[in-house]
Coordinates of all heavy atoms in Angstrom, one line a residue:
M1 N 132.5 119.1 75.5 CA 131.1 119.3 75.9 C 130.3 119.8 74.7 O 131.0 120.6 73.8 CB 131.0 120.4 77.0 CG 129.7 120.6 77.5 SD 129.5 122.0 78.7 CE 130.6 121.4 80.1
S2 N 129.1 119.3 74.4 CA 128.3 119.7 73.2 C 127.9 121.3 73.3 O 128.0 121.8 74.5 CB 127.1 119.0 73.2 OG 126.1 119.3 74.2
L3 N 127.6 121.8 72.2 CA 127.3 123.2 72.3 C 126.0 123.4 73.1 O 125.9 124.6 73.7 CB 127.2 123.7 70.8 CG 128.2 123.8 70.0 CD1 128.0 123.9 68.5 CD2 129.2 124.8 70.4
R4 N 125.0 122.5 73.0 CA 123.9 122.7 73.7 C 124.1 122.8 75.3 O 123.6 123.6 76.0 CB 122.9 121.5 73.5 CG 121.5 121.7 74.3 CD 120.6 120.5 74.0 NE 121.2 119.2 74.6 CZ 121.0 119.0 75.9 NH1 120.3 119.8 76.7 NH2 121.5 117.8 76.5
L5 N 125.0 121.9 75.7 CA 125.4 122.0 77.2 C 126.3 123.3 77.5 O 126.0 123.7 78.7 CB 126.0 120.6 77.6 CG 125.2 119.4 77.6 CD1 126.1 118.1 77.8 CD2 124.1 119.5 78.4
I6 N 127.0 123.5 76.6 CA 127.7 124.9 76.8 C 126.7 126.1 77.1 O 126.9 126.9 77.9 CB 128.7 125.2 75.8 CG1 129.9 124.2 75.8 CG2 129.2 126.5 75.6 CD1 130.8 124.2 74.5
V7 N 125.7 126.2 76.1 CA 124.8 127.2 76.2 C 124.0 126.9 77.6 O 123.7 127.9 78.3 CB 123.8 127.2 75.1 CG1 122.5 127.9 75.3 CG2 124.5 127.6 73.8
R8 N 123.5 125.9 78.0 CA 122.9 125.6 79.2 C 123.7 125.9 80.4 O 123.2 126.6 81.3 CB 122.5 124.0 79.3 CG 121.5 123.7 80.4 CD 121.5 122.4 80.9 NE 122.8 122.0 81.3 CZ 123.1 120.7 81.7 NH1 122.2 119.8 81.6 NH2 124.4 120.5 82.2
D9 N 124.9 125.6 80.4 CA 125.8 125.9 81.5 C 126.1 127.5 81.7 O 126.1 127.9 82.8 CB 127.1 125.1 81.5 CG 126.9 123.7 81.8 OD1 125.8 123.3 82.1 OD2 127.9 123.0 81.8
A10 N 126.1 128.1 80.6 CA 126.4 129.5 80.6 C 125.3 130.4 80.8 O 125.3 131.5 81.4 CB 127.1 130.0 79.3
T11 N 124.0 129.8 80.4 CA 122.9 130.8 80.4 C 121.7 130.2 81.3 O 120.7 130.9 81.6 CB 122.3 131.0 79.0 OG1 121.8 129.8 78.5 CG2 123.5 131.6 78.2
G12 N 121.7 129.0 81.5 CA 120.5 128.2 82.2 C 119.6 127.9 81.1 O 118.4 127.4 81.6
I13 N 119.7 128.2 79.9 CA 118.7 128.0 78.9 C 118.8 126.6 78.3 O 119.9 126.1 77.9 CB 119.0 129.0 77.7 CG1 118.6 130.5 78.2 CG2 117.9 128.7 76.6 CD1 119.0 131.5 77.3
N14 N 117.7 125.9 78.4 CA 117.6 124.5 77.7 C 116.9 124.5 76.4 O 115.8 124.8 76.3 CB 116.7 123.6 78.8 CG 116.6 122.2 78.2 OD1 117.2 121.8 77.2 ND2 115.7 121.4 78.7
L15 N 117.7 124.5 75.3 CA 117.3 124.5 74.0 C 116.3 123.3 73.5 O 115.7 123.6 72.5 CB 118.5 124.8 73.0 CG 119.0 126.1 73.2 CD1 120.3 126.2 72.3 CD2 118.2 127.3 72.9
Y16 N 116.3 122.3 74.4 CA 115.3 121.3 74.2 C 113.9 121.8 74.3 O 113.0 121.3 73.9 CB 115.5 120.1 75.0 CG 116.6 119.1 74.6 CD1 117.1 118.2 75.4 CD2 117.0 119.2 73.2 CE1 118.0 117.3 75.0 CE2 118.1 118.4 72.9 CZ 118.7 117.4 73.7 OH 119.6 116.5 73.3
E17 N 113.8 123.0 74.9 CA 112.4 123.7 75.1 C 111.9 124.4 73.8 O 110.9 124.9 73.7 CB 112.5 124.6 76.3 CG 112.5 124.0 77.6 CD 112.7 124.9 78.8 OE1 112.6 126.1 78.6 OE2 112.8 124.4 79.9
C18 N 112.9 124.5 72.9 CA 112.5 125.0 71.5 C 111.5 124.2 70.9 O 111.6 122.9 70.8 CB 113.7 125.2 70.7 SG 113.3 125.7 69.0
R19 N 110.3 124.8 70.4 CA 109.3 124.1 69.9 C 109.4 124.0 68.3 O 108.5 123.7 67.7 CB 107.9 124.7 70.3 CG 107.7 124.7 71.8 CD 107.0 123.4 72.2 NE 107.8 122.2 72.2 CZ 108.6 121.8 73.0 NH1 108.7 122.4 74.2 NH2 109.3 120.7 72.9
A20 N 110.5 124.6 67.8 CA 110.7 124.7 66.3 C 109.5 125.2 65.6 O 109.1 124.9 64.4 CB 110.9 123.2 65.7
C21 N 108.9 126.3 66.2 CA 107.7 126.9 65.7 C 108.2 128.0 64.6 O 107.4 128.3 63.9 CB 106.9 127.7 66.7 SG 107.9 129.0 67.5
A22 N 109.4 128.4 64.5 CA 110.0 129.3 63.5 C 109.4 130.8 63.7 O 109.5 131.6 62.8 CB 109.6 128.8 62.1
D23 N 108.8 131.1 64.8 CA 108.4 132.5 65.1 C 109.5 133.5 65.1 O 109.4 134.6 64.6 CB 107.5 132.6 66.3 CG 106.2 132.1 66.3 OD1 105.8 131.8 65.1 OD2 105.5 132.1 67.3
C24 N 110.7 132.8 65.6 CA 111.8 133.8 65.6 C 112.4 134.2 64.3 O 113.1 135.1 64.1 CB 112.9 133.2 66.5 SG 113.3 131.4 66.0
D25 N 112.0 133.5 63.2 CA 112.4 133.8 61.9 C 111.7 135.0 61.4 O 112.2 135.5 60.4 CB 112.2 132.6 61.0 CG 113.1 131.4 61.4 OD1 113.9 131.4 62.2 OD2 112.8 130.2 60.8
L26 N 110.6 135.4 61.9 CA 110.1 136.7 61.5 C 111.0 137.9 61.7 O 110.9 139.0 61.0 CB 108.7 137.0 62.3 CG 107.7 136.0 62.1 CD1 106.5 136.1 63.0 CD2 107.2 135.9 60.6
A27 N 112.0 137.8 62.7 CA 112.9 138.9 62.9 C 114.0 138.9 61.9 O 115.2 139.5 62.2 CB 113.4 138.9 64.4
Q28 N 114.1 137.9 60.9 CA 115.3 137.9 60.1 C 115.8 139.2 59.3 O 114.9 140.0 58.9 CB 115.1 136.9 59.0 CG 116.2 136.4 58.1 CD 116.3 134.9 58.0 OE1 115.6 134.2 58.6 NE2 117.1 134.6 56.9
V29 N 117.0 139.3 59.4 CA 117.7 140.5 58.8 C 118.5 140.0 57.5 O 118.8 138.9 57.5 CB 118.5 141.3 59.8 CG1 117.8 141.8 60.9 CG2 119.8 140.5 60.2
P30 N 118.7 140.9 56.7 CA 119.3 140.5 55.3 C 120.6 139.8 55.4 O 120.9 138.9 54.7 CB 119.4 142.0 54.5 CG 118.2 142.7 55.0 CD 118.2 142.4 56.5
E31 N 121.4 140.3 56.2 CA 122.7 139.7 56.4 C 122.8 138.3 57.1 O 123.9 137.7 57.2 CB 123.8 140.6 57.1 CG 123.4 140.9 58.5 CD 124.2 142.1 59.1 OE1 124.7 142.9 58.3 OE2 124.4 142.2 60.3
Q32 N 121.7 137.9 57.5 CA 121.7 136.4 58.0 C 121.8 135.3 57.0 O 121.3 135.5 55.8 CB 120.4 136.2 58.8 CG 120.3 136.9 60.0 CD 119.0 136.5 60.8 OE1 118.3 137.3 61.2 NE2 118.7 135.2 60.8
D33 N 122.7 134.4 57.1 CA 122.8 133.3 56.1 C 121.9 132.1 56.7 O 121.6 131.3 55.9 CB 124.2 132.9 56.0 CG 125.1 132.6 57.3 OD1 124.5 132.8 58.4 OD2 126.2 132.1 57.1
V34 N 121.6 132.0 58.1 CA 120.7 131.0 58.5 C 119.7 131.8 59.3 O 120.2 132.7 60.0 CB 121.4 129.9 59.3 CG1 122.4 129.0 58.4 CG2 122.2 130.3 60.4
S35 N 118.5 131.1 59.5 CA 117.6 131.8 60.3 C 117.8 131.5 61.9 O 118.7 130.4 62.1 CB 116.2 131.2 60.1 OG 116.1 129.8 60.3
L36 N 117.3 132.2 62.7 CA 117.4 131.8 64.1 C 116.9 130.5 64.6 O 117.5 129.7 65.3 CB 116.8 133.0 65.1 CG 117.5 134.3 65.0 CD1 116.6 135.3 65.8 CD2 118.9 134.2 65.5
S37 N 115.9 130.0 64.0 CA 115.4 128.7 64.3 C 116.3 127.7 63.8 O 116.6 126.6 64.5 CB 114.0 128.5 63.8 OG 113.9 128.4 62.4
T38 N 116.8 127.8 62.7 CA 117.9 126.9 62.2 C 119.2 127.0 63.0 O 119.8 125.9 63.4 CB 118.3 127.3 60.8 OG1 117.1 127.1 59.9 CG2 119.4 126.3 60.1
L39 N 119.5 128.1 63.5 CA 120.7 128.2 64.4 C 120.5 127.5 65.6 O 121.4 126.7 66.2 CB 120.9 129.7 64.6 CG 122.2 130.0 65.5 CD1 122.9 131.2 64.7 CD2 121.8 130.5 66.9
V40 N 119.4 127.5 66.2 CA 119.0 126.8 67.4 C 119.2 125.3 67.0 O 119.7 124.4 67.9 CB 117.6 127.0 67.9 CG1 117.2 126.1 69.0 CG2 117.6 128.6 68.4
Q41 N 118.6 124.8 66.0 CA 118.7 123.4 65.7 C 120.1 123.0 65.4 O 120.5 121.8 65.8 CB 117.9 123.1 64.5 CG 116.3 123.3 64.6 CD 115.8 122.6 65.8 OE1 116.1 121.5 66.0 NE2 115.1 123.2 66.7
L42 N 121.0 123.9 64.8 CA 122.3 123.5 64.7 C 123.1 123.3 66.0 O 124.0 122.3 66.2 CB 123.0 124.5 63.9 CG 122.7 124.7 62.4 CD1 123.4 125.8 61.7 CD2 123.1 123.4 61.7
I43 N 122.8 124.0 67.0 CA 123.3 123.9 68.4 C 122.8 122.6 68.9 O 123.7 121.9 69.5 CB 122.8 125.1 69.2 CG1 123.3 126.4 68.8 CG2 123.4 124.8 70.7 CD1 122.6 127.6 69.5
I44 N 121.6 122.3 68.8 CA 121.1 121.0 69.3 C 121.8 119.8 68.7 O 122.1 118.8 69.3 CB 119.6 120.9 69.1 CG1 118.9 122.0 70.0 CG2 119.1 119.6 69.4 CD1 117.5 122.2 69.9
M45 N 122.0 120.0 67.4 CA 122.9 118.9 66.7 C 124.3 119.0 66.9 O 125.0 118.1 66.4 CB 122.5 119.0 65.2 CG 121.1 118.7 64.8 SD 120.9 118.5 63.0 CE 121.0 120.3 62.5
D46 N 124.8 119.9 67.7 CA 126.2 120.2 68.0 C 126.9 120.3 66.8 O 128.0 119.7 66.6 CB 126.7 119.0 68.9 CG 128.1 119.4 69.5 OD1 128.3 120.4 69.7 OD2 128.9 118.4 69.7
D47 N 126.5 121.0 65.8 CA 127.1 121.2 64.5 C 127.9 122.5 64.7 O 127.4 123.5 64.7 CB 126.0 121.4 63.4 CG 126.6 121.4 62.0 OD1 127.8 121.8 61.8 OD2 126.0 121.2 61.0
E48 N 129.3 122.3 64.6 CA 130.2 123.3 64.7 C 130.1 124.5 63.7 O 130.6 125.6 63.9 CB 131.7 122.9 64.9 CG 132.7 123.9 65.6 CD 134.0 123.3 65.6 OE1 134.6 123.0 64.6 OE2 134.6 123.3 66.8
E49 N 129.5 124.1 62.7 CA 129.3 125.2 61.5 C 128.6 126.4 62.0 O 128.7 127.5 61.4 CB 128.5 124.4 60.5 CG 129.2 123.4 59.5 CD 130.2 124.2 58.7 OE1 130.0 125.2 58.2 OE2 131.4 123.6 58.7
V50 N 127.8 126.3 63.0 CA 127.0 127.4 63.6 C 127.8 128.5 64.0 O 127.6 129.7 64.1 CB 125.9 126.8 64.7 CG1 126.8 126.5 66.0 CG2 125.0 127.9 65.0
L51 N 129.1 128.1 64.5 CA 130.0 129.1 65.1 C 130.6 130.1 63.9 O 131.3 131.1 64.4 CB 131.1 128.4 65.9 CG 130.6 127.5 67.1 CD1 131.9 126.8 67.5 CD2 130.0 128.3 68.1
S52 N 130.5 129.7 62.8 CA 131.0 130.6 61.7 C 129.9 131.1 60.8 O 130.2 131.6 59.7 CB 132.2 129.8 60.9 OG 131.6 128.6 60.4
T53 N 128.7 131.0 61.2 CA 127.6 131.6 60.4 C 127.7 133.1 60.5 O 128.0 133.7 61.4 CB 126.3 131.1 60.8 OG1 126.0 131.4 62.3 CG2 126.1 129.6 60.7
R54 N 127.2 133.7 59.4 CA 127.1 135.1 59.4 C 126.0 135.7 60.3 O 126.0 136.7 60.9 CB 126.7 135.8 57.9 CG 127.9 135.7 57.0 CD 127.7 136.5 55.8 NE 126.5 136.7 55.2 CZ 126.1 135.8 54.2 NH1 126.9 134.8 53.8 NH2 125.0 135.7 53.7
T55 N 125.0 134.8 60.6 CA 124.0 135.1 61.5 C 124.6 135.4 63.0 O 124.1 136.3 63.5 CB 123.0 134.2 61.5 OG1 122.4 133.9 60.3 CG2 122.0 134.4 62.6
L56 N 125.5 134.4 63.3 CA 126.0 134.6 64.7 C 126.7 136.0 64.8 O 126.8 136.5 65.8 CB 126.9 133.5 65.0 CG 127.7 133.4 66.3 CD1 126.6 133.3 67.4 CD2 128.7 132.3 66.4
W57 N 127.4 136.4 63.8 CA 128.3 137.6 63.8 C 127.6 138.9 63.3 O 128.2 139.9 63.2 CB 129.6 137.4 63.2 CG 130.3 136.3 63.8 CD1 130.4 135.0 63.4 CD2 130.9 136.3 65.1 NE1 131.1 134.3 64.3 CE2 131.5 135.1 65.3 CE3 131.3 137.4 65.9 CZ2 132.2 134.8 66.5 CZ3 132.0 137.1 67.2 CH2 132.5 135.9 67.4
S58 N 126.2 138.8 63.2 CA 125.5 140.0 62.7 C 125.1 140.7 64.0 O 124.2 140.2 64.7 CB 124.3 139.4 61.9 OG 123.3 140.6 61.8
D59 N 125.6 141.9 64.1 CA 125.1 142.8 65.2 C 123.6 143.1 65.1 O 122.8 143.2 66.1 CB 125.9 144.1 65.2 CG 127.3 143.8 65.6 OD1 127.5 142.7 66.4 OD2 128.3 144.5 65.4
E60 N 123.1 143.2 63.9 CA 121.7 143.5 63.7 C 120.8 142.3 64.1 O 119.7 142.4 64.8 CB 121.4 143.8 62.2 CG 120.2 144.6 62.0 CD 119.9 145.0 60.5 OE1 120.8 144.7 59.7 OE2 118.7 145.3 60.3
A61 N 121.3 141.1 63.8 CA 120.6 139.9 64.2 C 120.7 139.7 65.6 O 119.7 139.3 66.4 CB 121.1 138.6 63.4
L62 N 121.8 140.1 66.2 CA 122.1 140.0 67.7 C 121.0 141.0 68.4 O 120.3 140.6 69.4 CB 123.3 140.4 68.1 CG 123.8 140.5 69.6 CD1 123.8 138.9 70.1 CD2 125.1 141.0 69.7
E63 N 120.7 142.1 67.9 CA 119.8 143.0 68.5 C 118.4 142.5 68.3 O 117.6 142.5 69.3 CB 119.9 144.4 67.8 CG 119.0 145.4 68.4 CD 119.5 145.9 69.8 OE1 120.7 145.7 70.1 OE2 118.4 146.3 70.5
K64 N 118.0 142.0 67.2 CA 116.7 141.4 67.0 C 116.5 140.2 67.8 O 115.3 139.9 68.2 CB 116.5 140.9 65.5 CG 116.6 142.2 64.6 CD 115.2 142.7 64.2 CE 115.2 143.7 63.2 NZ 113.9 144.4 62.8
S65 N 117.5 139.5 68.1 CA 117.3 138.3 68.9 C 116.8 138.5 70.4 O 116.2 137.5 71.0 CB 118.7 137.5 69.0 OG 119.5 138.1 69.8
K66 N 116.9 139.8 70.8 CA 116.5 140.0 72.3 C 115.0 139.7 72.4 O 114.5 139.3 73.4 CB 116.7 141.4 72.5 CG 118.3 141.9 72.8 CD 118.3 143.3 73.0 CE 119.7 143.6 73.2 NZ 120.0 145.1 73.4
V67 N 114.3 139.9 71.3 CA 112.7 139.7 71.5 C 112.3 138.7 70.5 O 110.9 138.7 70.2 CB 112.0 141.0 71.3 CG1 112.3 142.0 72.5 CG2 112.3 141.7 70.0
A68 N 113.0 138.0 69.8 CA 112.7 137.1 68.8 C 111.9 135.8 69.2 O 110.9 135.5 68.4 CB 114.0 136.6 68.0
C69 N 112.1 135.3 70.3 CA 111.5 134.2 70.7 C 110.2 134.4 71.5 O 110.4 135.0 72.6 CB 112.3 133.1 71.5 SG 111.4 131.7 72.0
K70 N 109.0 134.2 71.1 CA 107.9 134.5 71.8 C 107.6 133.4 72.9 O 106.6 133.5 73.7 CB 106.6 134.5 70.8 CG 106.9 135.5 69.7 CD 106.9 136.9 70.3 CE 106.9 137.9 69.1 NZ 108.3 138.3 68.5
R71 N 108.5 132.3 72.9 CA 108.3 131.2 74.0 C 109.2 131.5 75.1 O 109.4 130.5 75.9 CB 108.4 129.9 73.1 CG 107.0 129.7 72.6 CD 107.1 128.6 71.6 NE 105.8 128.4 70.9 CZ 105.3 129.3 70.0 NH1 106.0 130.4 69.7 NH2 104.0 129.2 69.5
G72 N 109.9 132.5 75.2 CA 110.6 132.9 76.2 C 112.1 132.4 76.3 O 112.8 132.6 77.3
L73 N 112.6 131.9 75.3 CA 113.9 131.4 75.2 C 114.8 132.8 74.8 O 114.6 133.4 73.8 CB 114.3 130.4 74.0 CG 113.6 129.0 74.3 CD1 113.9 128.1 73.2 CD2 114.1 128.5 75.6
D74 N 115.8 133.1 75.7 CA 116.5 134.3 75.4 C 117.6 134.0 74.4 O 118.8 133.7 74.8 CB 117.2 134.7 76.7 CG 117.9 136.1 76.7 OD1 118.3 136.5 75.5 OD2 118.0 136.7 77.7
L75 N 117.3 134.3 73.2 CA 118.3 134.0 72.1 C 119.4 134.9 72.1 O 120.5 134.5 71.6 CB 117.6 133.9 70.7 CG 116.4 132.9 70.6 CD1 115.8 132.9 69.2 CD2 117.0 131.5 70.8
H76 N 119.2 136.1 72.5 CA 120.4 137.1 72.7 C 121.5 136.5 73.6 O 122.7 136.6 73.1 CB 119.8 138.4 73.3 CG 120.8 139.4 73.4 ND1 121.4 139.8 74.5 CD2 121.3 140.2 72.4 CE1 122.3 140.9 74.3 NE2 122.3 141.1 73.0
K77 N 121.1 135.9 74.8 CA 122.1 135.3 75.6 C 122.7 134.0 74.9 O 124.0 133.7 75.0 CB 121.5 134.7 76.9 CG 121.3 135.8 77.8 CD 120.8 135.3 79.1 CE 120.4 136.3 80.1 NZ 119.7 135.6 81.3
V78 N 121.9 133.3 74.1 CA 122.5 132.2 73.3 C 123.5 132.5 72.3 O 124.6 132.0 72.2 CB 121.3 131.3 72.6 CG1 121.8 130.3 71.7 CG2 120.3 130.8 73.5
L79 N 123.3 133.6 71.5 CA 124.1 134.2 70.6 C 125.5 134.7 71.2 O 126.6 134.4 70.7 CB 123.5 135.2 69.8 CG 122.4 134.8 68.8 CD1 121.9 136.0 68.1 CD2 123.0 133.9 67.7
L80 N 125.4 135.4 72.3 CA 126.5 135.9 73.0 C 127.4 134.6 73.4 O 128.6 134.8 73.3 CB 126.2 136.8 74.0 CG 125.8 138.2 73.7 CD1 125.2 139.0 75.0 CD2 126.6 139.0 72.8
T81 N 126.8 133.7 74.0 CA 127.6 132.6 74.4 C 128.3 131.9 73.3 O 129.4 131.5 73.3 CB 126.6 131.5 75.1 OG1 126.0 132.2 76.3 CG2 127.4 130.3 75.5
L82 N 127.5 131.7 72.1 CA 128.1 131.1 71.0 C 129.4 131.9 70.5 O 130.3 131.4 69.9 CB 127.2 130.9 69.8 CG 126.1 129.8 70.0 CD1 125.3 129.7 68.8 CD2 126.7 128.5 70.4
R83 N 129.3 133.2 70.5 CA 130.3 134.1 70.1 C 131.6 133.9 70.8 O 132.7 133.7 70.3 CB 129.9 135.6 70.1 CG 129.0 136.0 69.1 CD 128.8 137.5 69.1 NE 127.9 138.0 68.0 CZ 127.8 139.4 67.6 NH1 128.6 140.2 68.3 NH2 127.1 139.7 66.6
D84 N 131.4 133.7 72.3 CA 132.5 133.4 73.1 C 133.0 132.0 72.9 O 134.2 131.9 72.7 CB 131.9 133.4 74.6 CG 131.9 134.8 75.2 OD1 132.1 135.7 74.4 OD2 131.2 134.9 76.1
E85 N 132.3 131.0 72.5 CA 132.7 129.7 72.2 C 133.4 129.9 71.0 O 134.5 129.1 70.7 CB 131.6 128.9 72.2 CG 132.0 127.3 72.1 CD 132.9 126.8 73.2 OE1 132.9 127.3 74.3 OE2 133.6 125.8 72.9
S86 N 132.8 130.5 70.0 CA 133.6 130.5 68.7 C 135.1 131.1 68.9 O 136.0 130.6 68.3 CB 132.7 131.4 67.7 OG 133.4 131.4 66.5
Q87 N 135.1 132.2 69.6 CA 136.4 132.8 69.9 C 137.4 131.9 70.6 O 138.6 131.7 70.3 CB 136.2 134.2 70.6 CG 135.7 135.3 69.7 CD 135.3 136.5 70.3 OE1 135.2 136.6 71.5 NE2 135.3 137.6 69.6
K88 N 136.8 131.2 71.6 CA 137.7 130.2 72.3 C 138.3 129.1 71.4 O 139.3 128.6 71.5 CB 136.9 129.5 73.3 CG 136.7 130.3 74.7 CD 135.9 129.5 75.7 CE 135.3 130.4 76.7 NZ 134.3 129.9 77.5
R89 N 137.5 128.7 70.4 CA 138.0 127.6 69.6 C 138.8 128.3 68.3 O 139.2 127.5 67.4 CB 136.6 126.9 68.9 CG 136.0 126.2 70.0 CD 134.8 125.3 69.3 NE 134.0 124.7 70.5 CZ 133.1 123.8 70.3 NH1 132.9 123.3 69.1 NH2 132.3 123.4 71.4
G90 N 138.9 129.5 68.4 CA 139.7 130.3 67.2 C 139.0 130.3 65.8 O 139.5 130.3 64.9
I91 N 137.7 130.3 66.0 CA 136.8 130.4 64.8 C 136.3 131.7 64.3 O 136.5 132.1 63.3 CB 135.6 129.4 64.8 CG1 136.1 127.9 65.0 CG2 134.8 129.5 63.7 CD1 135.0 126.8 65.4
G92 N 135.8 132.4 65.4 CA 135.1 133.6 65.1 C 136.0 134.8 65.2 O 137.2 134.7 65.2
K93 N 135.4 136.0 65.1 CA 136.2 137.2 65.0 C 136.8 137.5 66.4 O 136.5 136.9 67.4 CB 135.1 138.5 64.8 CG 134.4 138.4 63.5 CD 133.4 139.5 63.4 CE 132.8 139.5 62.0 NZ 131.7 140.6 61.9
E94 N 137.9 138.3 66.2 CA 138.6 138.6 67.4 C 137.8 139.8 68.2 O 137.2 140.4 67.6 CB 139.9 139.2 67.2 CG 140.9 138.1 66.7 CD 141.0 136.9 67.8 OE1 141.3 137.4 69.0 OE2 141.0 135.8 67.4
Ligands
SF4_101 S1 110.4 131.1 68.4 FE1 111.7 130.2 70.1 S2 110.5 128.2 70.4 FE2 110.1 129.0 68.2 S3 111.7 128.1 66.9 FE3 112.4 130.2 67.6 S4 113.7 129.7 69.4 FE4 112.4 127.9 69.0

C-alpha cells in the first residue's frame, strides 16, 4: 500500500487536499532536513526516503506540526503515522 493510502487509512486525511502553498514551512525548525510541505509531497510520491528524514524524527518539528497547516490538514497525525510505518519497515528509531 502506498504511503498516501497508509496515512489516509490511519488518519482519514487525504493529502491530495494539500494545496502546496508552503504555509507549513513557516514553522520550520533547525534540525529539519526537509520542510513539511516537501515531506507531504514525498508521501504523495510514495517516496520511502521520507521515512528516514530528520524532519520525521524531530520532536520539535512534531510539536510545531500541530498547527502548521492553515488549511486544516493535521500534519501531527501524519507524522505520527509515518513514524509508526517507519518502525514497521525497520527504518526508523526504536
Ligand atoms: S500548509 Fe497545508 S496545504 Fe499548505 S503545503 Fe502545507 S500541508 Fe499543504
Side-chain angles (χ1 to χ4, degrees):
M1 190 186 295
S2 73
L3 291 170
R4 184 183 67 81
L5 292 179
I6 288 168
V7 167
R8 190 201 63 185
D9 287 0
T11 67
I13 297 167
N14 179 6
L15 289 178
Y16 279 164
E17 292 177 6
C18 172
R19 300 272 68 90
C21 64
D23 279 359
C24 51
D25 295 348
L26 296 174
Q28 188 139 341
V29 299
E31 60 191 30
Q32 286 184 230
D33 52 354
V34 297
S35 67
L36 289 175
S37 65
T38 298
L39 186 133
V40 169
Q41 295 308 312
L42 289 172
I43 298 168
I44 290 171
M45 292 187 291
D46 196 30
D47 188 335
E48 199 179 52
E49 285 291 316
V50 71
L51 299 177
S52 54
T53 57
R54 288 204 310 276
T55 299
L56 180 59
W57 296 101
S58 162
D59 289 335
E60 203 179 345
L62 182 68
E63 185 63 28
K64 296 266 186 184
S65 71
K66 289 178 179 172
V67 293
C69 178
K70 304 295 185 275
R71 283 160 180 76
L73 296 177
D74 188 337
L75 298 182
H76 186 256
K77 282 185 184 169
V78 172
L79 289 176
L80 289 177
T81 301
L82 286 190
R83 284 186 177 196
D84 283 349
E85 185 60 24
S86 184
Q87 287 176 334
K88 279 183 199 157
R89 297 187 188 190
I91 298 169
K93 294 179 181 176
E94 289 301 317

